[in-house]
Amino acid sequence: LVRLTRITRIMAVTSGNSQWDWFKSLRGVRIVNFIAGLIWSCHLLACGWYLVAALHEDVTITWVGRHVVVVDRVERSLLFQGPFEQWLVSMYFVLTVF
């Protein structure tokens, strides 16, 4: 709670600062901001997409259970992969479909 008051003080100092406004107006900063927002929104959609499948009664009939991943020339279900691989497949889906 104390940190929130510090953040409000920092925002008050930077809001009227012309150098801060100049920095925010740079094209590179705006592009990085856009890309970060895009990745964040794709991450949220991917987590939601995975959550819908994970909360299903029978996970084996969802896309997570049916999706096959090849690891060391062996086909495995996505259910038996780690969380990073599951997140990566979800992100890939969101980026290609939406």
Side-chain angles (χ1 to χ4, degrees), residues 19-51:
Q19 290 176 342
W20 180 252
D21 291 336
W22 171 78
F23 180 73
K24 288 191 315 185
S25 70
L26 292 176
R27 181 176 291 168
V29 173
R30 288 186 292 158
I31 290 172
V32 168
N33 240 355
F34 174 75
I35 291 173
L38 180 68
I39 290 173
W40 178 249
S41 60
C42 287
H43 167 75
L44 291 178
L45 284 171
C47 288
W49 182 248
Y50 180 79
L51 185 65

PDB file of all heavy atoms in Angstrom, residues 19-51:
ATOM      1  N   GLN A  19      10.381  16.657 -20.693  1.00  0.00           N
ATOM      2  CA  GLN A  19      11.326  15.641 -21.182  1.00  0.00           C
ATOM      3  C   GLN A  19      10.656  14.273 -21.229  1.00  0.00           C
ATOM      4  O   GLN A  19      10.898  13.491 -22.145  1.00  0.00           O
ATOM      5  CB  GLN A  19      12.560  15.603 -20.298  1.00  0.00           C
ATOM      6  CG  GLN A  19      13.435  16.824 -20.422  1.00  0.00           C
ATOM      7  CD  GLN A  19      14.608  16.778 -19.458  1.00  0.00           C
ATOM      8  OE1 GLN A  19      14.612  16.025 -18.492  1.00  0.00           O
ATOM      9  NE2 GLN A  19      15.617  17.600 -19.737  1.00  0.00           N
ATOM     10  N   TRP A  20       9.820  13.980 -20.250  1.00  0.00           N
ATOM     11  CA  TRP A  20       9.110  12.704 -20.230  1.00  0.00           C
ATOM     12  C   TRP A  20       8.125  12.634 -21.396  1.00  0.00           C
ATOM     13  O   TRP A  20       7.991  11.608 -22.052  1.00  0.00           O
ATOM     14  CB  TRP A  20       8.395  12.516 -18.902  1.00  0.00           C
ATOM     15  CG  TRP A  20       7.641  11.236 -18.807  1.00  0.00           C
ATOM     16  CD1 TRP A  20       6.296  11.075 -18.828  1.00  0.00           C
ATOM     17  CD2 TRP A  20       8.192   9.925 -18.707  1.00  0.00           C
ATOM     18  NE1 TRP A  20       5.964   9.752 -18.752  1.00  0.00           N
ATOM     19  CE2 TRP A  20       7.123   9.023 -18.662  1.00  0.00           C
ATOM     20  CE3 TRP A  20       9.487   9.430 -18.646  1.00  0.00           C
ATOM     21  CZ2 TRP A  20       7.306   7.656 -18.566  1.00  0.00           C
ATOM     22  CZ3 TRP A  20       9.672   8.068 -18.545  1.00  0.00           C
ATOM     23  CH2 TRP A  20       8.593   7.196 -18.512  1.00  0.00           C
ATOM     24  N   ASP A  21       7.443  13.728 -21.670  1.00  0.00           N
ATOM     25  CA  ASP A  21       6.521  13.768 -22.806  1.00  0.00           C
ATOM     26  C   ASP A  21       7.265  13.590 -24.122  1.00  0.00           C
ATOM     27  O   ASP A  21       6.784  12.904 -25.025  1.00  0.00           O
ATOM     28  CB  ASP A  21       5.748  15.088 -22.813  1.00  0.00           C
ATOM     29  CG  ASP A  21       4.773  15.187 -21.655  1.00  0.00           C
ATOM     30  OD1 ASP A  21       4.359  14.123 -21.145  1.00  0.00           O
ATOM     31  OD2 ASP A  21       4.443  16.326 -21.270  1.00  0.00           O
ATOM     32  N   TRP A  22       8.437  14.190 -24.229  1.00  0.00           N
ATOM     33  CA  TRP A  22       9.253  14.026 -25.438  1.00  0.00           C
ATOM     34  C   TRP A  22       9.676  12.565 -25.606  1.00  0.00           C
ATOM     35  O   TRP A  22       9.622  12.010 -26.699  1.00  0.00           O
ATOM     36  CB  TRP A  22      10.496  14.917 -25.357  1.00  0.00           C
ATOM     37  CG  TRP A  22      11.469  14.649 -26.456  1.00  0.00           C
ATOM     38  CD1 TRP A  22      11.391  15.071 -27.742  1.00  0.00           C
ATOM     39  CD2 TRP A  22      12.652  13.860 -26.358  1.00  0.00           C
ATOM     40  NE1 TRP A  22      12.472  14.597 -28.453  1.00  0.00           N
ATOM     41  CE2 TRP A  22      13.264  13.848 -27.619  1.00  0.00           C
ATOM     42  CE3 TRP A  22      13.263  13.173 -25.319  1.00  0.00           C
ATOM     43  CZ2 TRP A  22      14.440  13.171 -27.874  1.00  0.00           C
ATOM     44  CZ3 TRP A  22      14.440  12.487 -25.577  1.00  0.00           C
ATOM     45  CH2 TRP A  22      15.010  12.498 -26.853  1.00  0.00           C
ATOM     46  N   PHE A  23      10.091  11.931 -24.489  1.00  0.00           N
ATOM     47  CA  PHE A  23      10.529  10.541 -24.543  1.00  0.00           C
ATOM     48  C   PHE A  23       9.378   9.623 -24.968  1.00  0.00           C
ATOM     49  O   PHE A  23       9.563   8.718 -25.774  1.00  0.00           O
ATOM     50  CB  PHE A  23      11.075  10.102 -23.174  1.00  0.00           C
ATOM     51  CG  PHE A  23      11.541   8.690 -23.138  1.00  0.00           C
ATOM     52  CD1 PHE A  23      12.713   8.312 -23.766  1.00  0.00           C
ATOM     53  CD2 PHE A  23      10.794   7.711 -22.483  1.00  0.00           C
ATOM     54  CE1 PHE A  23      13.149   6.995 -23.740  1.00  0.00           C
ATOM     55  CE2 PHE A  23      11.215   6.404 -22.457  1.00  0.00           C
ATOM     56  CZ  PHE A  23      12.390   6.044 -23.088  1.00  0.00           C
ATOM     57  N   LYS A  24       8.181   9.857 -24.447  1.00  0.00           N
ATOM     58  CA  LYS A  24       7.023   9.040 -24.802  1.00  0.00           C
ATOM     59  C   LYS A  24       6.616   9.228 -26.252  1.00  0.00           C
ATOM     60  O   LYS A  24       5.995   8.350 -26.836  1.00  0.00           O
ATOM     61  CB  LYS A  24       5.835   9.372 -23.896  1.00  0.00           C
ATOM     62  CG  LYS A  24       5.992   8.878 -22.491  1.00  0.00           C
ATOM     63  CD  LYS A  24       4.709   8.974 -21.682  1.00  0.00           C
ATOM     64  CE  LYS A  24       3.988  10.272 -21.842  1.00  0.00           C
ATOM     65  NZ  LYS A  24       2.806  10.403 -20.971  1.00  0.00           N
ATOM     66  N   SER A  25       6.961  10.371 -26.837  1.00  0.00           N
ATOM     67  CA  SER A  25       6.556  10.632 -28.217  1.00  0.00           C
ATOM     68  C   SER A  25       7.513  10.039 -29.247  1.00  0.00           C
ATOM     69  O   SER A  25       7.221  10.085 -30.443  1.00  0.00           O
ATOM     70  CB  SER A  25       6.429  12.133 -28.447  1.00  0.00           C
ATOM     71  OG  SER A  25       7.713  12.730 -28.433  1.00  0.00           O
ATOM     72  N   LEU A  26       8.635   9.502 -28.821  1.00  0.00           N
ATOM     73  CA  LEU A  26       9.573   8.905 -29.767  1.00  0.00           C
ATOM     74  C   LEU A  26       8.945   7.696 -30.461  1.00  0.00           C
ATOM     75  O   LEU A  26       8.222   6.911 -29.847  1.00  0.00           O
ATOM     76  CB  LEU A  26      10.851   8.485 -29.050  1.00  0.00           C
ATOM     77  CG  LEU A  26      11.729   9.607 -28.513  1.00  0.00           C
ATOM     78  CD1 LEU A  26      12.894   9.036 -27.740  1.00  0.00           C
ATOM     79  CD2 LEU A  26      12.229  10.479 -29.646  1.00  0.00           C
ATOM     80  N   ARG A  27       9.235   7.551 -31.737  1.00  0.00           N
ATOM     81  CA  ARG A  27       8.646   6.468 -32.526  1.00  0.00           C
ATOM     82  C   ARG A  27       9.031   5.098 -31.978  1.00  0.00           C
ATOM     83  O   ARG A  27       8.203   4.195 -31.885  1.00  0.00           O
ATOM     84  CB  ARG A  27       9.078   6.587 -33.978  1.00  0.00           C
ATOM     85  CG  ARG A  27       8.469   5.499 -34.843  1.00  0.00           C
ATOM     86  CD  ARG A  27       8.818   5.659 -36.271  1.00  0.00           C
ATOM     87  NE  ARG A  27       8.128   6.856 -36.760  1.00  0.00           N
ATOM     88  CZ  ARG A  27       8.388   7.431 -37.908  1.00  0.00           C
ATOM     89  NH1 ARG A  27       9.335   6.947 -38.671  1.00  0.00           N
ATOM     90  NH2 ARG A  27       7.732   8.482 -38.302  1.00  0.00           N
ATOM     91  N   GLY A  28      10.284   4.914 -31.601  1.00  0.00           N
ATOM     92  CA  GLY A  28      10.732   3.625 -31.076  1.00  0.00           C
ATOM     93  C   GLY A  28      10.030   3.250 -29.784  1.00  0.00           C
ATOM     94  O   GLY A  28       9.669   2.086 -29.567  1.00  0.00           O
ATOM     95  N   VAL A  29       9.803   4.219 -28.933  1.00  0.00           N
ATOM     96  CA  VAL A  29       9.112   3.966 -27.666  1.00  0.00           C
ATOM     97  C   VAL A  29       7.663   3.576 -27.936  1.00  0.00           C
ATOM     98  O   VAL A  29       7.130   2.665 -27.311  1.00  0.00           O
ATOM     99  CB  VAL A  29       9.197   5.206 -26.744  1.00  0.00           C
ATOM    100  CG1 VAL A  29       8.341   5.029 -25.512  1.00  0.00           C
ATOM    101  CG2 VAL A  29      10.633   5.477 -26.363  1.00  0.00           C
ATOM    102  N   ARG A  30       7.037   4.251 -28.895  1.00  0.00           N
ATOM    103  CA  ARG A  30       5.652   3.908 -29.229  1.00  0.00           C
ATOM    104  C   ARG A  30       5.553   2.515 -29.838  1.00  0.00           C
ATOM    105  O   ARG A  30       4.609   1.772 -29.558  1.00  0.00           O
ATOM    106  CB  ARG A  30       5.073   4.949 -30.171  1.00  0.00           C
ATOM    107  CG  ARG A  30       4.798   6.265 -29.456  1.00  0.00           C
ATOM    108  CD  ARG A  30       4.105   7.244 -30.344  1.00  0.00           C
ATOM    109  NE  ARG A  30       5.045   7.633 -31.398  1.00  0.00           N
ATOM    110  CZ  ARG A  30       4.685   8.141 -32.564  1.00  0.00           C
ATOM    111  NH1 ARG A  30       3.434   8.320 -32.846  1.00  0.00           N
ATOM    112  NH2 ARG A  30       5.600   8.485 -33.451  1.00  0.00           N
ATOM    113  N   ILE A  31       6.532   2.138 -30.652  1.00  0.00           N
ATOM    114  CA  ILE A  31       6.525   0.801 -31.253  1.00  0.00           C
ATOM    115  C   ILE A  31       6.719  -0.266 -30.185  1.00  0.00           C
ATOM    116  O   ILE A  31       6.020  -1.284 -30.171  1.00  0.00           O
ATOM    117  CB  ILE A  31       7.605   0.705 -32.354  1.00  0.00           C
ATOM    118  CG1 ILE A  31       7.195   1.553 -33.548  1.00  0.00           C
ATOM    119  CG2 ILE A  31       7.838  -0.743 -32.776  1.00  0.00           C
ATOM    120  CD1 ILE A  31       8.258   1.689 -34.611  1.00  0.00           C
ATOM    121  N   VAL A  32       7.665  -0.042 -29.276  1.00  0.00           N
ATOM    122  CA  VAL A  32       7.887  -1.003 -28.190  1.00  0.00           C
ATOM    123  C   VAL A  32       6.644  -1.101 -27.315  1.00  0.00           C
ATOM    124  O   VAL A  32       6.258  -2.193 -26.881  1.00  0.00           O
ATOM    125  CB  VAL A  32       9.140  -0.602 -27.367  1.00  0.00           C
ATOM    126  CG1 VAL A  32       9.230  -1.393 -26.088  1.00  0.00           C
ATOM    127  CG2 VAL A  32      10.393  -0.788 -28.199  1.00  0.00           C
ATOM    128  N   ASN A  33       6.004   0.017 -27.048  1.00  0.00           N
ATOM    129  CA  ASN A  33       4.767   0.020 -26.270  1.00  0.00           C
ATOM    130  C   ASN A  33       3.681  -0.797 -26.958  1.00  0.00           C
ATOM    131  O   ASN A  33       2.974  -1.575 -26.314  1.00  0.00           O
ATOM    132  CB  ASN A  33       4.281   1.458 -26.087  1.00  0.00           C
ATOM    133  CG  ASN A  33       4.194   1.854 -24.663  1.00  0.00           C
ATOM    134  OD1 ASN A  33       4.401   1.048 -23.779  1.00  0.00           O
ATOM    135  ND2 ASN A  33       3.891   3.112 -24.442  1.00  0.00           N
ATOM    136  N   PHE A  34       3.548  -0.609 -28.267  1.00  0.00           N
ATOM    137  CA  PHE A  34       2.548  -1.358 -29.023  1.00  0.00           C
ATOM    138  C   PHE A  34       2.836  -2.853 -28.994  1.00  0.00           C
ATOM    139  O   PHE A  34       1.930  -3.664 -28.775  1.00  0.00           O
ATOM    140  CB  PHE A  34       2.508  -0.860 -30.472  1.00  0.00           C
ATOM    141  CG  PHE A  34       1.601  -1.674 -31.344  1.00  0.00           C
ATOM    142  CD1 PHE A  34       0.232  -1.543 -31.253  1.00  0.00           C
ATOM    143  CD2 PHE A  34       2.140  -2.576 -32.250  1.00  0.00           C
ATOM    144  CE1 PHE A  34      -0.605  -2.300 -32.051  1.00  0.00           C
ATOM    145  CE2 PHE A  34       1.318  -3.338 -33.052  1.00  0.00           C
ATOM    146  CZ  PHE A  34      -0.064  -3.205 -32.952  1.00  0.00           C
ATOM    147  N   ILE A  35       4.088  -3.232 -29.209  1.00  0.00           N
ATOM    148  CA  ILE A  35       4.453  -4.656 -29.216  1.00  0.00           C
ATOM    149  C   ILE A  35       4.240  -5.276 -27.842  1.00  0.00           C
ATOM    150  O   ILE A  35       3.738  -6.399 -27.726  1.00  0.00           O
ATOM    151  CB  ILE A  35       5.898  -4.837 -29.715  1.00  0.00           C
ATOM    152  CG1 ILE A  35       5.968  -4.499 -31.207  1.00  0.00           C
ATOM    153  CG2 ILE A  35       6.409  -6.247 -29.468  1.00  0.00           C
ATOM    154  CD1 ILE A  35       7.358  -4.466 -31.783  1.00  0.00           C
ATOM    155  N   ALA A  36       4.599  -4.550 -26.792  1.00  0.00           N
ATOM    156  CA  ALA A  36       4.385  -5.065 -25.437  1.00  0.00           C
ATOM    157  C   ALA A  36       2.894  -5.253 -25.159  1.00  0.00           C
ATOM    158  O   ALA A  36       2.485  -6.268 -24.579  1.00  0.00           O
ATOM    159  CB  ALA A  36       5.007  -4.123 -24.417  1.00  0.00           C
ATOM    160  N   GLY A  37       2.077  -4.322 -25.590  1.00  0.00           N
ATOM    161  CA  GLY A  37       0.632  -4.462 -25.415  1.00  0.00           C
ATOM    162  C   GLY A  37       0.066  -5.615 -26.214  1.00  0.00           C
ATOM    163  O   GLY A  37      -0.821  -6.340 -25.747  1.00  0.00           O
ATOM    164  N   LEU A  38       0.576  -5.811 -27.425  1.00  0.00           N
ATOM    165  CA  LEU A  38       0.126  -6.921 -28.260  1.00  0.00           C
ATOM    166  C   LEU A  38       0.494  -8.259 -27.629  1.00  0.00           C
ATOM    167  O   LEU A  38      -0.340  -9.174 -27.563  1.00  0.00           O
ATOM    168  CB  LEU A  38       0.739  -6.810 -29.658  1.00  0.00           C
ATOM    169  CG  LEU A  38       0.372  -7.895 -30.647  1.00  0.00           C
ATOM    170  CD1 LEU A  38      -1.100  -7.797 -31.012  1.00  0.00           C
ATOM    171  CD2 LEU A  38       1.240  -7.773 -31.880  1.00  0.00           C
ATOM    172  N   ILE A  39       1.714  -8.381 -27.152  1.00  0.00           N
ATOM    173  CA  ILE A  39       2.138  -9.627 -26.513  1.00  0.00           C
ATOM    174  C   ILE A  39       1.335  -9.879 -25.248  1.00  0.00           C
ATOM    175  O   ILE A  39       0.928 -11.011 -24.967  1.00  0.00           O
ATOM    176  CB  ILE A  39       3.659  -9.606 -26.242  1.00  0.00           C
ATOM    177  CG1 ILE A  39       4.415  -9.687 -27.561  1.00  0.00           C
ATOM    178  CG2 ILE A  39       4.073 -10.734 -25.317  1.00  0.00           C
ATOM    179  CD1 ILE A  39       5.904  -9.502 -27.443  1.00  0.00           C
ATOM    180  N   TRP A  40       1.071  -8.833 -24.469  1.00  0.00           N
ATOM    181  CA  TRP A  40       0.296  -8.989 -23.235  1.00  0.00           C
ATOM    182  C   TRP A  40      -1.128  -9.451 -23.545  1.00  0.00           C
ATOM    183  O   TRP A  40      -1.642 -10.362 -22.889  1.00  0.00           O
ATOM    184  CB  TRP A  40       0.296  -7.691 -22.449  1.00  0.00           C
ATOM    185  CG  TRP A  40      -0.523  -7.754 -21.201  1.00  0.00           C
ATOM    186  CD1 TRP A  40      -1.680  -7.105 -20.956  1.00  0.00           C
ATOM    187  CD2 TRP A  40      -0.245  -8.517 -20.028  1.00  0.00           C
ATOM    188  NE1 TRP A  40      -2.137  -7.408 -19.708  1.00  0.00           N
ATOM    189  CE2 TRP A  40      -1.283  -8.282 -19.113  1.00  0.00           C
ATOM    190  CE3 TRP A  40       0.783  -9.388 -19.679  1.00  0.00           C
ATOM    191  CZ2 TRP A  40      -1.324  -8.878 -17.863  1.00  0.00           C
ATOM    192  CZ3 TRP A  40       0.738  -9.976 -18.423  1.00  0.00           C
ATOM    193  CH2 TRP A  40      -0.297  -9.728 -17.534  1.00  0.00           C
ATOM    194  N   SER A  41      -1.761  -8.852 -24.544  1.00  0.00           N
ATOM    195  CA  SER A  41      -3.124  -9.259 -24.874  1.00  0.00           C
ATOM    196  C   SER A  41      -3.157 -10.675 -25.451  1.00  0.00           C
ATOM    197  O   SER A  41      -4.068 -11.451 -25.135  1.00  0.00           O
ATOM    198  CB  SER A  41      -3.772  -8.261 -25.830  1.00  0.00           C
ATOM    199  OG  SER A  41      -3.042  -8.175 -27.022  1.00  0.00           O
ATOM    200  N   CYS A  42      -2.169 -11.038 -26.250  1.00  0.00           N
ATOM    201  CA  CYS A  42      -2.083 -12.419 -26.764  1.00  0.00           C
ATOM    202  C   CYS A  42      -1.849 -13.404 -25.634  1.00  0.00           C
ATOM    203  O   CYS A  42      -2.402 -14.507 -25.625  1.00  0.00           O
ATOM    204  CB  CYS A  42      -0.980 -12.537 -27.804  1.00  0.00           C
ATOM    205  SG  CYS A  42      -1.388 -11.783 -29.366  1.00  0.00           S
ATOM    206  N   HIS A  43      -1.033 -13.012 -24.658  1.00  0.00           N
ATOM    207  CA  HIS A  43      -0.786 -13.868 -23.490  1.00  0.00           C
ATOM    208  C   HIS A  43      -2.082 -14.111 -22.726  1.00  0.00           C
ATOM    209  O   HIS A  43      -2.381 -15.248 -22.347  1.00  0.00           O
ATOM    210  CB  HIS A  43       0.259 -13.214 -22.588  1.00  0.00           C
ATOM    211  CG  HIS A  43       0.368 -13.840 -21.247  1.00  0.00           C
ATOM    212  ND1 HIS A  43       0.981 -15.053 -21.034  1.00  0.00           N
ATOM    213  CD2 HIS A  43      -0.079 -13.420 -20.034  1.00  0.00           C
ATOM    214  CE1 HIS A  43       0.911 -15.351 -19.751  1.00  0.00           C
ATOM    215  NE2 HIS A  43       0.268 -14.372 -19.122  1.00  0.00           N
ATOM    216  N   LEU A  44      -2.862 -13.064 -22.501  1.00  0.00           N
ATOM    217  CA  LEU A  44      -4.120 -13.225 -21.780  1.00  0.00           C
ATOM    218  C   LEU A  44      -5.094 -14.110 -22.547  1.00  0.00           C
ATOM    219  O   LEU A  44      -5.751 -14.979 -21.960  1.00  0.00           O
ATOM    220  CB  LEU A  44      -4.747 -11.862 -21.496  1.00  0.00           C
ATOM    221  CG  LEU A  44      -4.018 -10.994 -20.485  1.00  0.00           C
ATOM    222  CD1 LEU A  44      -4.724  -9.656 -20.339  1.00  0.00           C
ATOM    223  CD2 LEU A  44      -3.902 -11.682 -19.141  1.00  0.00           C
ATOM    224  N   LEU A  45      -5.185 -13.920 -23.853  1.00  0.00           N
ATOM    225  CA  LEU A  45      -6.056 -14.771 -24.661  1.00  0.00           C
ATOM    226  C   LEU A  45      -5.579 -16.221 -24.668  1.00  0.00           C
ATOM    227  O   LEU A  45      -6.390 -17.149 -24.602  1.00  0.00           O
ATOM    228  CB  LEU A  45      -6.130 -14.240 -26.092  1.00  0.00           C
ATOM    229  CG  LEU A  45      -6.991 -13.007 -26.292  1.00  0.00           C
ATOM    230  CD1 LEU A  45      -6.806 -12.466 -27.704  1.00  0.00           C
ATOM    231  CD2 LEU A  45      -8.442 -13.319 -26.028  1.00  0.00           C
ATOM    232  N   ALA A  46      -4.274 -16.430 -24.741  1.00  0.00           N
ATOM    233  CA  ALA A  46      -3.728 -17.795 -24.732  1.00  0.00           C
ATOM    234  C   ALA A  46      -3.987 -18.477 -23.400  1.00  0.00           C
ATOM    235  O   ALA A  46      -4.339 -19.663 -23.353  1.00  0.00           O
ATOM    236  CB  ALA A  46      -2.233 -17.766 -25.030  1.00  0.00           C
ATOM    237  N   CYS A  47      -3.833 -17.743 -22.316  1.00  0.00           N
ATOM    238  CA  CYS A  47      -4.116 -18.330 -20.997  1.00  0.00           C
ATOM    239  C   CYS A  47      -5.599 -18.674 -20.876  1.00  0.00           C
ATOM    240  O   CYS A  47      -5.961 -19.716 -20.328  1.00  0.00           O
ATOM    241  CB  CYS A  47      -3.701 -17.373 -19.882  1.00  0.00           C
ATOM    242  SG  CYS A  47      -1.914 -17.240 -19.697  1.00  0.00           S
ATOM    243  N   GLY A  48      -6.457 -17.811 -21.394  1.00  0.00           N
ATOM    244  CA  GLY A  48      -7.885 -18.104 -21.376  1.00  0.00           C
ATOM    245  C   GLY A  48      -8.235 -19.300 -22.236  1.00  0.00           C
ATOM    246  O   GLY A  48      -9.059 -20.138 -21.861  1.00  0.00           O
ATOM    247  N   TRP A  49      -7.602 -19.391 -23.397  1.00  0.00           N
ATOM    248  CA  TRP A  49      -7.823 -20.524 -24.294  1.00  0.00           C
ATOM    249  C   TRP A  49      -7.409 -21.831 -23.627  1.00  0.00           C
ATOM    250  O   TRP A  49      -8.104 -22.838 -23.715  1.00  0.00           O
ATOM    251  CB  TRP A  49      -7.038 -20.292 -25.573  1.00  0.00           C
ATOM    252  CG  TRP A  49      -7.209 -21.344 -26.614  1.00  0.00           C
ATOM    253  CD1 TRP A  49      -6.262 -22.219 -27.030  1.00  0.00           C
ATOM    254  CD2 TRP A  49      -8.381 -21.630 -27.369  1.00  0.00           C
ATOM    255  NE1 TRP A  49      -6.777 -23.035 -28.004  1.00  0.00           N
ATOM    256  CE2 TRP A  49      -8.087 -22.696 -28.219  1.00  0.00           C
ATOM    257  CE3 TRP A  49      -9.662 -21.095 -27.389  1.00  0.00           C
ATOM    258  CZ2 TRP A  49      -9.014 -23.231 -29.090  1.00  0.00           C
ATOM    259  CZ3 TRP A  49     -10.585 -21.633 -28.269  1.00  0.00           C
ATOM    260  CH2 TRP A  49     -10.251 -22.683 -29.104  1.00  0.00           C
ATOM    261  N   TYR A  50      -6.283 -21.825 -22.944  1.00  0.00           N
ATOM    262  CA  TYR A  50      -5.834 -23.020 -22.242  1.00  0.00           C
ATOM    263  C   TYR A  50      -6.743 -23.319 -21.056  1.00  0.00           C
ATOM    264  O   TYR A  50      -7.056 -24.473 -20.777  1.00  0.00           O
ATOM    265  CB  TYR A  50      -4.390 -22.858 -21.765  1.00  0.00           C
ATOM    266  CG  TYR A  50      -3.901 -24.078 -21.034  1.00  0.00           C
ATOM    267  CD1 TYR A  50      -3.498 -25.203 -21.737  1.00  0.00           C
ATOM    268  CD2 TYR A  50      -3.868 -24.121 -19.655  1.00  0.00           C
ATOM    269  CE1 TYR A  50      -3.071 -26.336 -21.090  1.00  0.00           C
ATOM    270  CE2 TYR A  50      -3.444 -25.249 -18.991  1.00  0.00           C
ATOM    271  CZ  TYR A  50      -3.052 -26.348 -19.712  1.00  0.00           C
ATOM    272  OH  TYR A  50      -2.643 -27.476 -19.054  1.00  0.00           O
ATOM    273  N   LEU A  51      -7.182 -22.286 -20.342  1.00  0.00           N
ATOM    274  CA  LEU A  51      -8.035 -22.472 -19.170  1.00  0.00           C
ATOM    275  C   LEU A  51      -9.361 -23.115 -19.549  1.00  0.00           C
ATOM    276  O   LEU A  51      -9.868 -23.974 -18.825  1.00  0.00           O
ATOM    277  CB  LEU A  51      -8.272 -21.128 -18.487  1.00  0.00           C
ATOM    278  CG  LEU A  51      -9.048 -21.157 -17.181  1.00  0.00           C
ATOM    279  CD1 LEU A  51      -8.246 -21.898 -16.117  1.00  0.00           C
ATOM    280  CD2 LEU A  51      -9.351 -19.751 -16.723  1.00  0.00           C
TER     281      LEU A  51
END
